[in-house]
Amino acid sequence: MTQPLVRAVGVVKKFGHTTVLHDVSMDVQPGQVVCLLGPSGAGKSTFLRCINHLEPLDGGQIWVDGEPIGYRVRNGKLYELRERDVAKQRRGIGMVFQRFNLFPHRTALQNVVEGPVQVRRRDQAEARKKAMALLDRVGLADKADAYPGQLSGGQQQRVAIARALAMEPKLMLFDEPTSALDPELVGEVLDVMVGLAKDGMTMIVVTHEIGFARQVADHVVFMVDGAVVETGPPSQVLDNPEHQRTQQFLAKVL
Ligand code: ADP
Ligand code: MG
């Protein structure tokens, strides 16, 4: 067995006195796609935010590519990282949100070029060339000079995916990337994500798109009230759920 790209062990997260993640554990192998399902308030977004240390943990630990998130290991001990070093770890993890979060006064191309040039200090001409290739990959080469306001929601979300990929992440996190889209625009974004999965990107995807989960997920994780209720291949969790909560949830979204 190879080393998992993501290993979460006993993750606990509290907001004040409320525990929103209870002992959440999961492994994601390199190249796997895990779909995270569950009702609103289950803790799915919080868990994603813990993976890239946007939320500090109250218990447990998460490793990405063998590195403990938020810490460094020295002589077998964990030392908390400074914010600057946390930011460095975070660069290896792409995140795409429900809202597209593009810079409104920059073109699609500028949005994609920004990270590699400003953060990774890449050469401008090379970064532009790579950004064009990424826009092409998400089917938007002809929209390179368009501003976000001139693009549909689906197009904006595809630019957001290209922007995340420009940082050459080893892991992509998606938090309901199609939930804010008009129904007719969902497919074009899912198609890009299916392509990414086929190309071997490791992905954790919070989604209610059961068809997508069935098509690309290696594992489906079903969460309720901050805990993992059921996990397994889509054929098991989606078509043959063991738990009543999973059955109830699927009856609603299918
Ligand atoms: P999901 O993404 O599954 O809908 P969330 O992770 O957004 O769930 O939320 C899980 C729980 O944590 C909810 O009860 C939510 O109200 C609470 N929560 C999320 N973020 C915060 C925060 N910053 N402060 C306080 N409570 C929060
Ligand atoms: Mg959420």
Side-chain angles (χ1 to χ4, degrees), residues 26-71:
M26 73 179 71
D27 277 358
V28 185
Q29 299 296 331
Q32 278 192 335
V33 178
V34 170
C35 284
L36 210 50
L37 265 59
S40 180
K44 306 178 299 293
S45 297
T46 303
F47 181 66
L48 287 193
R49 290 169 57 78
C50 287
I51 294 175
N52 62 6
H53 208 60
L54 290 169
E55 301 288 355
L57 303 186
D58 295 297
Q61 183 60 50
I62 298 174
W63 287 265
V64 175
D65 205 11
E67 283 185 31
I69 287 295
Y71 295 88

Short mmCIF file of all heavy atoms in Angstrom, two decimals, residues 26-71:
data_model
loop_
_atom_site.label_atom_id
_atom_site.label_comp_id
_atom_site.label_asym_id
_atom_site.label_seq_id
_atom_site.Cartn_x
_atom_site.Cartn_y
_atom_site.Cartn_z
N MET A 26 -10.13 9.57 7.81
CA MET A 26 -10.20 8.99 6.46
C MET A 26 -8.84 9.03 5.80
O MET A 26 -8.00 9.87 6.12
CB MET A 26 -11.26 9.69 5.60
CG MET A 26 -10.93 11.07 5.11
SD MET A 26 -12.26 11.76 4.09
CE MET A 26 -13.55 12.08 5.28
N ASP A 27 -8.65 8.09 4.89
CA ASP A 27 -7.44 8.03 4.07
C ASP A 27 -7.85 8.24 2.62
O ASP A 27 -8.86 7.69 2.19
CB ASP A 27 -6.79 6.65 4.16
CG ASP A 27 -5.90 6.50 5.39
OD1 ASP A 27 -5.76 7.48 6.14
OD2 ASP A 27 -5.35 5.41 5.58
N VAL A 28 -7.05 9.02 1.91
CA VAL A 28 -7.25 9.17 0.47
C VAL A 28 -5.94 8.82 -0.20
O VAL A 28 -4.91 9.45 0.06
CB VAL A 28 -7.67 10.61 0.10
CG1 VAL A 28 -7.99 10.71 -1.38
CG2 VAL A 28 -8.86 11.07 0.94
N GLN A 29 -5.97 7.81 -1.04
CA GLN A 29 -4.75 7.39 -1.74
C GLN A 29 -4.49 8.33 -2.93
O GLN A 29 -5.43 8.93 -3.46
CB GLN A 29 -4.90 5.94 -2.25
CG GLN A 29 -5.13 4.92 -1.15
CD GLN A 29 -3.95 4.79 -0.19
OE1 GLN A 29 -2.80 5.02 -0.57
NE2 GLN A 29 -4.23 4.46 1.06
N PRO A 30 -3.22 8.42 -3.36
CA PRO A 30 -2.92 9.27 -4.52
C PRO A 30 -3.77 8.87 -5.73
O PRO A 30 -3.90 7.69 -6.02
CB PRO A 30 -1.44 8.98 -4.80
CG PRO A 30 -0.89 8.43 -3.52
CD PRO A 30 -2.03 7.76 -2.82
N GLY A 31 -4.37 9.86 -6.37
CA GLY A 31 -5.17 9.61 -7.57
C GLY A 31 -6.61 9.25 -7.29
O GLY A 31 -7.41 9.11 -8.20
N GLN A 32 -6.95 9.11 -6.01
CA GLN A 32 -8.34 8.76 -5.69
C GLN A 32 -9.25 9.99 -5.65
O GLN A 32 -8.80 11.10 -5.38
CB GLN A 32 -8.42 8.08 -4.32
CG GLN A 32 -8.08 6.60 -4.38
CD GLN A 32 -8.44 5.89 -3.08
OE1 GLN A 32 -8.50 6.50 -2.01
NE2 GLN A 32 -8.65 4.60 -3.18
N VAL A 33 -10.52 9.74 -5.89
CA VAL A 33 -11.55 10.76 -5.72
C VAL A 33 -12.48 10.30 -4.60
O VAL A 33 -13.01 9.19 -4.65
CB VAL A 33 -12.36 10.94 -7.01
CG1 VAL A 33 -13.47 11.98 -6.80
CG2 VAL A 33 -11.44 11.36 -8.16
N VAL A 34 -12.62 11.16 -3.60
CA VAL A 34 -13.54 10.87 -2.51
C VAL A 34 -14.65 11.90 -2.55
O VAL A 34 -14.39 13.11 -2.62
CB VAL A 34 -12.81 10.93 -1.15
CG1 VAL A 34 -13.81 10.89 0.01
CG2 VAL A 34 -11.82 9.78 -1.03
N CYS A 35 -15.88 11.45 -2.57
CA CYS A 35 -17.02 12.37 -2.51
C CYS A 35 -17.58 12.36 -1.10
O CYS A 35 -17.81 11.30 -0.51
CB CYS A 35 -18.09 11.98 -3.51
SG CYS A 35 -17.64 12.43 -5.19
N LEU A 36 -17.76 13.56 -0.59
CA LEU A 36 -18.25 13.76 0.77
C LEU A 36 -19.70 14.21 0.66
O LEU A 36 -19.99 15.26 0.08
CB LEU A 36 -17.38 14.85 1.39
CG LEU A 36 -17.11 14.88 2.87
CD1 LEU A 36 -16.62 13.54 3.36
CD2 LEU A 36 -16.05 15.94 3.16
N LEU A 37 -20.59 13.41 1.23
CA LEU A 37 -22.01 13.69 1.17
C LEU A 37 -22.56 13.87 2.57
O LEU A 37 -22.00 13.32 3.52
CB LEU A 37 -22.74 12.50 0.54
CG LEU A 37 -23.05 12.48 -0.95
CD1 LEU A 37 -21.79 12.58 -1.77
CD2 LEU A 37 -23.81 11.21 -1.31
N GLY A 38 -23.67 14.57 2.65
CA GLY A 38 -24.33 14.67 3.94
C GLY A 38 -25.18 15.91 3.99
O GLY A 38 -24.97 16.85 3.21
N PRO A 39 -26.14 15.93 4.92
CA PRO A 39 -27.04 17.08 5.01
C PRO A 39 -26.30 18.35 5.42
O PRO A 39 -25.17 18.29 5.91
CB PRO A 39 -28.05 16.66 6.08
CG PRO A 39 -27.39 15.57 6.85
CD PRO A 39 -26.45 14.90 5.92
N SER A 40 -26.95 19.45 5.23
CA SER A 40 -26.42 20.75 5.62
C SER A 40 -26.10 20.74 7.12
O SER A 40 -26.87 20.20 7.92
CB SER A 40 -27.48 21.80 5.30
OG SER A 40 -27.01 23.05 5.67
N GLY A 41 -24.96 21.29 7.48
CA GLY A 41 -24.57 21.34 8.89
C GLY A 41 -23.82 20.11 9.36
O GLY A 41 -23.43 20.02 10.53
N ALA A 42 -23.57 19.16 8.45
CA ALA A 42 -22.89 17.91 8.84
C ALA A 42 -21.42 18.12 9.19
O ALA A 42 -20.80 17.28 9.83
CB ALA A 42 -23.01 16.88 7.71
N GLY A 43 -20.85 19.24 8.71
CA GLY A 43 -19.43 19.50 8.98
C GLY A 43 -18.54 19.27 7.77
O GLY A 43 -17.31 19.28 7.88
N LYS A 44 -19.14 19.14 6.60
CA LYS A 44 -18.37 18.85 5.39
C LYS A 44 -17.42 19.99 5.04
O LYS A 44 -16.22 19.78 4.80
CB LYS A 44 -19.32 18.59 4.20
CG LYS A 44 -20.36 17.52 4.48
CD LYS A 44 -21.31 17.31 3.31
CE LYS A 44 -22.13 18.52 2.90
NZ LYS A 44 -23.12 18.95 3.90
N SER A 45 -17.94 21.22 5.03
CA SER A 45 -17.09 22.37 4.71
C SER A 45 -16.01 22.55 5.76
O SER A 45 -14.85 22.84 5.44
CB SER A 45 -17.91 23.66 4.62
OG SER A 45 -18.85 23.58 3.58
N THR A 46 -16.38 22.38 7.01
CA THR A 46 -15.42 22.54 8.09
C THR A 46 -14.28 21.52 7.93
O THR A 46 -13.11 21.86 8.10
CB THR A 46 -16.10 22.36 9.46
OG1 THR A 46 -17.17 23.31 9.56
CG2 THR A 46 -15.13 22.57 10.60
N PHE A 47 -14.64 20.30 7.57
CA PHE A 47 -13.60 19.28 7.39
C PHE A 47 -12.63 19.68 6.26
O PHE A 47 -11.41 19.59 6.43
CB PHE A 47 -14.23 17.91 7.12
CG PHE A 47 -13.20 16.83 6.96
CD1 PHE A 47 -12.40 16.45 8.02
CD2 PHE A 47 -13.02 16.20 5.74
CE1 PHE A 47 -11.42 15.47 7.88
CE2 PHE A 47 -12.06 15.22 5.58
CZ PHE A 47 -11.26 14.85 6.65
N LEU A 48 -13.18 20.16 5.13
CA LEU A 48 -12.30 20.61 4.04
C LEU A 48 -11.39 21.73 4.51
O LEU A 48 -10.21 21.78 4.19
CB LEU A 48 -13.10 21.09 2.83
CG LEU A 48 -13.82 20.07 1.94
CD1 LEU A 48 -14.28 20.74 0.66
CD2 LEU A 48 -12.95 18.87 1.64
N ARG A 49 -11.97 22.65 5.28
CA ARG A 49 -11.19 23.80 5.75
C ARG A 49 -10.09 23.36 6.74
O ARG A 49 -9.04 23.99 6.82
CB ARG A 49 -12.11 24.85 6.38
CG ARG A 49 -13.00 25.56 5.33
CD ARG A 49 -14.09 26.40 5.99
NE ARG A 49 -13.55 27.41 6.89
CZ ARG A 49 -13.00 28.55 6.50
NH1 ARG A 49 -12.95 28.85 5.23
NH2 ARG A 49 -12.52 29.39 7.39
N CYS A 50 -10.36 22.29 7.45
CA CYS A 50 -9.33 21.74 8.35
C CYS A 50 -8.16 21.17 7.55
O CYS A 50 -7.01 21.26 7.96
CB CYS A 50 -9.91 20.64 9.24
SG CYS A 50 -11.00 21.24 10.54
N ILE A 51 -8.48 20.58 6.38
CA ILE A 51 -7.41 19.93 5.60
C ILE A 51 -6.37 20.96 5.18
O ILE A 51 -5.18 20.68 5.19
CB ILE A 51 -8.00 19.18 4.38
CG1 ILE A 51 -8.85 18.01 4.86
CG2 ILE A 51 -6.87 18.69 3.46
CD1 ILE A 51 -9.55 17.27 3.74
N ASN A 52 -6.81 22.16 4.80
CA ASN A 52 -5.76 23.13 4.44
C ASN A 52 -5.54 24.17 5.54
O ASN A 52 -5.02 25.25 5.27
CB ASN A 52 -5.99 23.75 3.06
CG ASN A 52 -7.26 24.53 2.98
OD1 ASN A 52 -7.94 24.71 3.98
ND2 ASN A 52 -7.58 25.00 1.79
N HIS A 53 -5.92 23.78 6.75
CA HIS A 53 -5.56 24.55 7.93
C HIS A 53 -6.18 25.96 7.95
O HIS A 53 -5.63 26.88 8.55
CB HIS A 53 -4.04 24.65 8.08
CG HIS A 53 -3.60 24.81 9.50
ND1 HIS A 53 -3.86 23.88 10.47
CD2 HIS A 53 -2.90 25.79 10.13
CE1 HIS A 53 -3.36 24.29 11.62
NE2 HIS A 53 -2.77 25.45 11.45
N LEU A 54 -7.31 26.10 7.26
CA LEU A 54 -8.05 27.35 7.42
C LEU A 54 -8.74 27.32 8.79
O LEU A 54 -9.10 28.36 9.33
CB LEU A 54 -9.09 27.51 6.30
CG LEU A 54 -8.51 27.79 4.91
CD1 LEU A 54 -9.58 27.68 3.84
CD2 LEU A 54 -7.84 29.15 4.86
N GLU A 55 -8.90 26.11 9.33
CA GLU A 55 -9.40 25.94 10.70
C GLU A 55 -8.39 25.10 11.47
O GLU A 55 -8.04 24.00 11.03
CB GLU A 55 -10.74 25.19 10.71
CG GLU A 55 -11.87 25.83 9.94
CD GLU A 55 -12.42 27.08 10.61
OE1 GLU A 55 -11.98 27.38 11.75
OE2 GLU A 55 -13.28 27.73 10.01
N PRO A 56 -7.90 25.59 12.60
CA PRO A 56 -7.03 24.76 13.44
C PRO A 56 -7.85 23.65 14.11
O PRO A 56 -9.03 23.82 14.38
CB PRO A 56 -6.49 25.75 14.47
CG PRO A 56 -7.45 26.89 14.48
CD PRO A 56 -8.11 26.94 13.13
N LEU A 57 -7.22 22.53 14.35
CA LEU A 57 -7.91 21.38 14.95
C LEU A 57 -7.93 21.47 16.47
O LEU A 57 -7.04 22.06 17.08
CB LEU A 57 -7.20 20.07 14.55
CG LEU A 57 -7.04 19.79 13.07
CD1 LEU A 57 -6.45 18.39 12.86
CD2 LEU A 57 -8.38 19.91 12.35
N ASP A 58 -8.96 20.86 17.06
CA ASP A 58 -9.01 20.72 18.51
C ASP A 58 -8.63 19.32 18.95
O ASP A 58 -8.60 19.01 20.14
CB ASP A 58 -10.41 21.08 19.02
CG ASP A 58 -10.72 22.55 18.77
OD1 ASP A 58 -10.02 23.40 19.34
OD2 ASP A 58 -11.62 22.84 17.96
N GLY A 59 -8.39 18.46 17.98
CA GLY A 59 -7.96 17.10 18.30
C GLY A 59 -7.67 16.36 17.02
O GLY A 59 -8.15 16.74 15.96
N GLY A 60 -6.85 15.32 17.12
CA GLY A 60 -6.50 14.55 15.94
C GLY A 60 -5.46 15.26 15.09
O GLY A 60 -4.90 16.28 15.50
N GLN A 61 -5.22 14.70 13.92
CA GLN A 61 -4.19 15.28 13.04
C GLN A 61 -4.50 14.92 11.60
O GLN A 61 -5.10 13.88 11.33
CB GLN A 61 -2.81 14.75 13.46
CG GLN A 61 -1.64 15.32 12.68
CD GLN A 61 -1.53 16.83 12.82
OE1 GLN A 61 -1.55 17.38 13.91
NE2 GLN A 61 -1.45 17.53 11.68
N ILE A 62 -4.10 15.82 10.71
CA ILE A 62 -4.25 15.57 9.28
C ILE A 62 -2.87 15.64 8.64
O ILE A 62 -2.11 16.58 8.91
CB ILE A 62 -5.19 16.61 8.63
CG1 ILE A 62 -6.60 16.50 9.24
CG2 ILE A 62 -5.25 16.39 7.11
CD1 ILE A 62 -7.57 17.57 8.77
N TRP A 63 -2.56 14.65 7.82
CA TRP A 63 -1.31 14.66 7.05
C TRP A 63 -1.66 14.78 5.58
O TRP A 63 -2.59 14.12 5.10
CB TRP A 63 -0.52 13.37 7.23
CG TRP A 63 0.16 13.23 8.56
CD1 TRP A 63 1.44 13.55 8.87
CD2 TRP A 63 -0.41 12.69 9.76
NE1 TRP A 63 1.71 13.26 10.18
CE2 TRP A 63 0.60 12.73 10.76
CE3 TRP A 63 -1.66 12.20 10.10
CZ2 TRP A 63 0.39 12.29 12.06
CZ3 TRP A 63 -1.88 11.75 11.39
CH2 TRP A 63 -0.87 11.80 12.36
N VAL A 64 -0.94 15.61 4.86
CA VAL A 64 -1.07 15.67 3.41
C VAL A 64 0.30 15.37 2.83
O VAL A 64 1.28 16.06 3.15
CB VAL A 64 -1.59 17.04 2.94
CG1 VAL A 64 -1.60 17.11 1.40
CG2 VAL A 64 -3.01 17.28 3.46
N ASP A 65 0.36 14.33 2.01
CA ASP A 65 1.61 13.92 1.40
C ASP A 65 2.69 13.71 2.47
O ASP A 65 3.84 14.11 2.29
CB ASP A 65 2.06 14.98 0.38
CG ASP A 65 2.96 14.38 -0.70
OD1 ASP A 65 3.05 13.15 -0.78
OD2 ASP A 65 3.58 15.16 -1.45
N GLY A 66 2.30 13.15 3.57
CA GLY A 66 3.24 12.82 4.64
C GLY A 66 3.58 13.94 5.59
O GLY A 66 4.25 13.72 6.60
N GLU A 67 3.08 15.16 5.28
CA GLU A 67 3.37 16.29 6.17
C GLU A 67 2.19 16.55 7.09
O GLU A 67 1.07 16.67 6.63
CB GLU A 67 3.60 17.59 5.37
CG GLU A 67 4.93 17.68 4.70
CD GLU A 67 5.11 19.04 4.02
OE1 GLU A 67 4.56 20.05 4.52
OE2 GLU A 67 5.78 19.08 2.99
N PRO A 68 2.43 16.70 8.39
CA PRO A 68 1.33 17.06 9.28
C PRO A 68 0.93 18.51 9.02
O PRO A 68 1.77 19.40 9.07
CB PRO A 68 1.91 16.89 10.68
CG PRO A 68 3.39 16.98 10.50
CD PRO A 68 3.72 16.61 9.08
N ILE A 69 -0.35 18.72 8.72
CA ILE A 69 -0.81 20.06 8.37
C ILE A 69 -0.72 20.98 9.60
O ILE A 69 -1.24 20.66 10.67
CB ILE A 69 -2.26 20.00 7.82
CG1 ILE A 69 -2.25 19.39 6.41
CG2 ILE A 69 -2.92 21.36 7.81
CD1 ILE A 69 -1.53 20.23 5.38
N GLY A 70 -0.05 22.10 9.42
CA GLY A 70 0.09 23.06 10.51
C GLY A 70 1.30 22.79 11.40
O GLY A 70 1.58 23.57 12.32
N TYR A 71 2.00 21.69 11.13
CA TYR A 71 3.14 21.33 11.97
C TYR A 71 4.33 20.90 11.14
O TYR A 71 4.20 20.56 9.97
CB TYR A 71 2.76 20.16 12.90
CG TYR A 71 1.69 20.52 13.89
CD1 TYR A 71 0.35 20.38 13.54
CD2 TYR A 71 2.02 21.02 15.14
CE1 TYR A 71 -0.65 20.73 14.44
CE2 TYR A 71 1.03 21.37 16.04
CZ TYR A 71 -0.31 21.22 15.69
OH TYR A 71 -1.28 21.57 16.56
#
